[in-house]
Amino acid sequence: MVEIKTDASMDAMREAGRVVAQALEAARKAAGVGVSLRELDGAAREAIEAAGATSPFLGYRPSFAPTPFPGVLCTSVNDALVHGIPSTYRLRDGDLLSIDCGATLDGWTGDAAVSFVVGTPRPEDLALIESTRQALAAGIAAATVGNRIGDIGHAVHRVAEAAGCGMPLDFGGHGIGRRMHEDPHVPNQGRPGRGFPLRHGLTLAIEPMLMSGGTNAYRTAPDGWTLHTTDGSRAAHIEHTIAVTDNGPRILTAL
């Protein structure tokens, strides 16, 4: 069932989204060569708690997962696409890091992700991140009243395809609101004019995940959570929670 939000509910989700942005910024500032992923998780946890919010990630256990998720961040390094568990791994110069974070405040939830390079960047990593950013921007631009979910996926996929990147096509974005994952599913590939109609008050998390190797294949790590590219190529993941409004898409997780 798809819940259409009121203007007041969207405003409340903006406050939850602001907490997400602050937590991501705290983790990004803490990131550096020699810093552990667990330390980044601690920085984000402090930001979430300081705002009076909670984490929808911590303890989350979907049907595919063997164990509840142990952190407030997903921290995915280099060939890891998404769902990386914050561990004692210490960041190295040139690591490509994707961080995904959620927060629930006053009963409403936000979800967003960023990708960046720690230390000295490789040009190809910067290009991958930029392509992922452009894919997200295209998906958001397509999230207008009168369009459909397929228009979002089509816009995202066109950018990825033009960049020669692959994507895990059975993973994508989702509706969001009182819970982190709600209907409808927002695939990163679609047919224009198909799928659920977009209307004022629909809130979505749009999240392209691009793989530089160009294939769509991935594997699941032994931890049952982390997804890796099968060819060892680098991956990037960028996400925003947005609201479809009569005045155009509204980003709810901007800093």
Side-chain angles (χ1 to χ4, degrees):
M1 177 179 176
V2 176
E3 179 187 5
I4 301 300
K5 278 65 172 188
T6 65
D7 289 350
S9 296
M10 288 188 284
D11 288 343
M13 286 185 66
R14 170 62 180 132
E15 295 310 308
R18 202 183 309 275
V19 176
V20 174
Q22 291 167 349
L24 284 172
E25 183 67 10
R28 185 166 188 159
K29 285 182 176 179
V33 175
V35 178
S36 75
L37 300 179
R38 197 166 288 170
E39 289 174 290
L40 303 187
D41 192 72
R45 191 176 304 223
E46 288 179 7
I48 291 169
E49 291 176 350
T54 58
S55 169
F57 286 22
L58 186 62
Y60 181 60
R61 188 178 183 182
S63 59
F64 67 80
T67 57
F69 196 78
V72 304
L73 294 179
C74 293
T75 50
S76 305
V77 182
N78 295 334
D79 68 330
L81 286 164
V82 286
H83 303 162
I85 294 175
S87 67
T88 57
Y89 175 84
R90 294 192 177 277
L91 293 164
R92 301 170 183 172
D93 187 50
D95 277 347
L96 196 169
L97 176 62
S98 297
I99 301 177
D100 192 357
C101 183
T104 301
L105 181 68
D106 297 329
W108 296 99
T109 301
D111 185 10
V114 296
S115 289
F116 57 93
V117 177
V118 177
T120 309
R122 304 191 307 183
E124 56 267 37
D125 288 343
L126 295 180
L128 174 63
I129 292 169
E130 177 59 19
S131 294
T132 310
R133 187 199 65 77
Q134 290 179 7
L136 175 60
I140 292 173
T144 59
V145 173
N147 275 356
R148 291 178 176 264
I149 288 290
D151 293 295
I152 296 175
H154 179 71
V156 169
H157 189 256
R158 283 186 64 186
V159 173
E161 192 173 43
C165 294
M167 292 190 293
L169 296 178
D170 49 348
F171 281 83
H174 48 89
I176 185 170
R178 300 179 191 275
R179 292 175 292 110
M180 179 167 60
H181 291 134
E182 297 183 350
D183 292 333
H185 176 59
V186 186
N188 286 323
Q189 184 180 42
R191 295 176 61 185
R194 295 295 188 92
F196 191 85
L198 307 184
R199 53 181 285 199
H200 181 87
L202 181 65
T203 49
L204 305 169
I206 302 174
E207 48 179 322
M209 311 153 197
L210 271 59
M211 301 185 285
S212 62
T215 72
N216 300 330
Y218 65 90
R219 63 177 177 86
T220 304
D223 62 26
W225 277 100
T226 312
L227 305 186
H228 291 271
T229 62
T230 57
D231 59 5
S233 62
R234 303 262 184 145
H237 173 212
I238 308 180
E239 174 185 17
H240 268 308
T241 295
I242 66 104
V244 178
T245 80
D246 291 330
N247 295 318
R250 178 187 180 188
I251 298 176
L252 302 178
T253 44
L255 186 62

